[in-house]
Amino acid sequence: SPAGGEVTADLTVPTWADGKLPCVVALHGIGGNRITLNLGWAAPRPLGMGVLSIDSRFGHETGGDLNPDSWATKDEVLASVEVVLADLGGALEVLVNTPECDSERLGFVGMSLGGVIGSIFIASEPRIRFAALALMGGEIEVPIEGELPEAD
């Protein structure tokens, strides 16, 4: 990851499709991991898309080091989001450098908190051409809008 450390991921590319394919980075929510996301977002593969599902560092199921239950300040929330955004940028670079992926047809799929953070990612990443965001909730605005104190 550009933010340091390793990010576990699964890349699947349909072997039956011809030519360069559209490919997506997929990010799960807090209560899942790349495998549960693969089960829920299997649709892109039959449509002829490559999917790179990453384990987010904020996931309880992944043993991630960015546990939302431990956020005590707004700065911790924002720092955690910045790390995950860097991880997504690294995942996108993997797709850009994957021969089967068309770098002009890159997308993003996010579930729950993956969709919330993904919305920031797709707004700031011009190479993302399409996205699907689902079940975005989690009240991430609560710690950001003032429920948590500022850092000292």
Side-chain angles (χ1 to χ4, degrees):
S1 166
E6 294 183 6
V7 177
T8 305
D10 291 331
L11 174 63
T12 56
V13 179
T15 56
W16 52 264
D18 293 325
K20 289 193 172 269
L21 306 172
C23 291
V24 298
V25 174
L27 183 64
H28 61 84
I30 291 175
N33 58 32
R34 72 187 189 287
I35 296 167
T36 57
L37 185 66
N38 283 339
L39 296 174
W41 285 96
R45 283 183 283 280
L47 295 174
M49 293 184 194
V51 178
L52 179 63
S53 297
I54 71 171
D55 272 341
S56 174
R57 295 198 230 191
F58 60 70
H60 296 304
E61 302 292 322
T62 63
D65 54 352
L66 303 177
N67 184 345
D69 293 336
S70 68
W71 290 338
T73 68
K74 289 183 203 180
D75 289 343
E76 289 178 9
V77 175
L78 297 175
S80 295
V81 170
E82 287 177 8
V83 168
V84 176
L85 290 171
D87 292 347
L88 290 171
L92 191 63
E93 286 302 317
V94 169
L95 292 182
V96 166
N97 293 301
T98 298
E100 295 87 355
C101 292
D102 182 346
S103 63
E104 296 298 315
R105 296 188 295 163
L106 299 174
F108 177 82
V109 171
M111 176 77 75
S112 191
L113 186 56
V116 173
I117 294 176
S119 67
I120 300 167
F121 179 64
I122 63 178
S124 62
E125 178 50 71
R127 296 176 292 179
I128 297 294
R129 306 279 197 229
F130 59 95
L133 308 174
L135 303 174
M136 294 171 54
E139 299 179 337
I140 194 168
E141 75 280 358
V142 171
I144 293 173
E145 289 181 351
E147 294 290 322
L148 294 176
E150 298 287 341
D152 293 332

